[in-house]
Amino acid sequence: MGQVQLDKKGRNCTLFSIFCASTIDSPIKILQQEVEISTEKESYENLLSFSDPYGPPKADKIKRKPNHDPKKKPMKVIQVKSDPDPLQDYCIADTLFSQSFFVNGAPCINPADTAPSHFTTSALSKPGNTATNPLGFNVTVTNIRNLPGMNTLGLTMARVDIAGNGLVPPHTHPRASEVTILIKGSLLVGFVDTSNRLFTQQLREGDSFVFPQGLIHFLYNLDSKASALAISGLTSQNPGAQLASAATFTTKPNIPDEVLKKAFQINGQDVSRIRKNLGG
């Protein structure tokens, strides 16, 4: 220990131990080598906790390099994480697969059967019907059915049509951040952070706005007559969407009335009326 190890490309294994994992016997030695380059007593506690049955080395037994300069700030260490990215160029979704087991995504077809049509779709080319709900909006999304080439790539595109004074109500995407660009019309958009601060912005044509992952957000058409069109990109193949109102008042089975009455400071008649209005 204490000697700098270099890989075949001349990279410093002591720092970038992920490059040289094959030259080190165990995660504990990786941890020990990384700790040696730090000059702060508590620095090793900020490193990754490896799943070693014997646990990380005790602080009082960690050897440190002699003649270090206590005035220097500790060097940051790269964290070793699993690789969430695709392990192949593409994985065309097998939409005809009879699913007898469940995977995170969809199985791939034989790569030899890949065609350009797997990577293109016209799903977002036609306006959605905003009259299908009383709020006056419609969202059309790409998915592995209409764009099988997007499988495992971690993204979704959406077309958002909003009628005059229409509203995409407060909702969340639990698995994705979203960036929206306004193509036509005028929108008021906003989100609420976990400190209950509201961030709003009026968008004009060509403006963009980003909604952080998991935070409640909305889009409202300020024009009472003209429709609005926006295109959104989301950072997940399956971002999920949960409307705050529907998730509260239209669950199956119902959330107990006493819970809703106390949470919203309303009475039983209010609960029944809201449920009815939302189709619950």
Side-chain angles (χ1 to χ4, degrees), residues 24-276:
I24 301 175
D25 295 333
S26 72
I28 290 302
K29 288 189 178 180
I30 295 176
L31 181 63
Q32 289 172 334
Q33 287 188 337
E34 290 173 332
V35 168
E36 281 192 335
I37 66 171
S38 175
T39 60
E40 293 292 336
K41 182 178 297 183
E42 71 281 4
S43 62
Y44 92 96
E45 298 173 355
N46 297 324
L47 301 176
L48 279 185
S49 297
F50 293 93
S51 299
D52 189 282
Y54 301 102
K58 294 182 180 180
D60 59 354
K61 293 186 177 180
I62 296 176
K63 297 181 181 180
R64 302 187 180 277
K65 288 186 176 182
N67 302 323
H68 68 272
D69 186 351
K71 294 182 180 180
K72 288 185 179 180
K73 293 182 179 180
M75 188 175 295
K76 293 182 179 179
V77 178
I78 289 181
Q79 291 185 338
V80 182
K81 295 183 178 180
S82 60
D83 184 2
D85 297 323
L87 301 179
Q88 61 280 317
D89 289 342
Y90 43 78
C91 171
I92 307 303
D94 185 357
T95 57
L96 301 179
F97 178 73
S98 179
Q99 195 164 6
S100 58
F101 66 95
F102 296 89
V103 296
N104 192 21
C108 312
I109 67 171
N110 187 330
D113 297 330
T114 301
S117 60
H118 291 131
F119 301 99
T120 185
T121 182
S122 300
L124 307 185
S125 63
K126 298 179 181 179
N129 185 1
T130 59
T132 57
N133 61 76
L135 298 178
F137 79 97
N138 184 280
V139 179
T140 307
V141 300
T142 58
N143 54 47
I144 60 172
R145 297 290 178 182
N146 56 38
L147 190 59
M150 65 175 280
N151 187 41
T152 75
L153 298 185
L155 54 87
T156 295
M157 295 294 292
R159 174 184 177 130
V160 186
D161 292 281
I162 309 177
N165 282 158
L167 171 70
V168 181
H171 65 285
T172 68
H173 301 296
R175 294 179 290 275
S177 296
E178 174 182 3
V179 62
T180 296
I181 180 171
L182 180 61
I183 305 299
K184 183 183 72 172
S186 177
L187 288 180
L188 177 69
V189 300
F191 69 87
V192 181
D193 71 8
T194 55
S195 298
N196 282 336
R197 292 186 299 173
L198 173 64
F199 297 85
T200 62
Q201 182 68 43
Q202 181 176 342
L203 301 185
R204 297 180 176 85
E205 292 180 3
D207 289 345
S208 299
F209 194 82
V210 65
F211 304 106
Q213 180 174 341
L215 297 185
I216 290 178
H217 58 283
F218 63 87
L219 301 90
Y220 175 62
N221 187 352
L222 294 169
D223 195 307
S224 60
K225 297 181 180 179
S227 61
L229 169 63
I231 298 294
S232 290
L234 299 101
T235 60
S236 172
Q237 175 178 323
N238 184 23
Q242 189 169 44
L243 274 63
S245 53
T248 306
F249 289 95
T250 65
T251 59
K252 302 297 181 184
N254 291 334
I255 294 176
D257 287 9
E258 291 304 317
V259 173
L260 299 179
K261 286 160 59 177
K262 194 169 187 66
F264 292 94
Q265 295 297 288
I266 56 180
N267 57 41
Q269 291 180 335
D270 293 330
V271 172
S272 298
R273 184 178 68 255
I274 295 172
R275 277 205 180 110
K276 182 178 179 181

